[in-house]
Amino acid sequence: MKRFVFATDISAMALAFAIASGAASAADITNNDSDIHTIQITDSAGNVTSMDIESTQTVNVCDTGCAVTIESETLQLKGDESLMIKDGRFHPVQ
């Protein structure tokens, strides 16, 4: 019985690590402005999605790379960046 519990614990820890690792490698954007901003996300296949980001909201935009546009500014992301919106523009989170 102890061997089964131990194996289950290891499996649960491995799953938790995989989930945490995946979340850490996703590109996300936080809106630090008081206004709602609309961004466009272009994935690697060329599909474009518009998204409204509320004030103080953080959204995941892509896991494996994409282009994000706010107004006339477009950035190419690899999928592991963190950005913030401040004064209507993208800024890296450091």
Side-chain angles (χ1 to χ4, degrees), residues 15-30:
L15 178 61
F17 178 75
I19 291 170
S21 296
S25 66
D28 58 79
I29 299 174
T30 301

Side-chain angles (χ1 to χ4, degrees), residues 1 3 10 16 23 25 27 33 36-37 54 58 61-64 78 81 93:
M1 184 70 172
R3 287 184 186 177
I10 289 176
S25 66
D33 282 346
I36 297 171
H37 288 285
E54 303 273 340
T58 299
V61 291
C62 60
D63 296 326
T64 59
K78 296 180 289 183
E81 298 91 337
V93 174

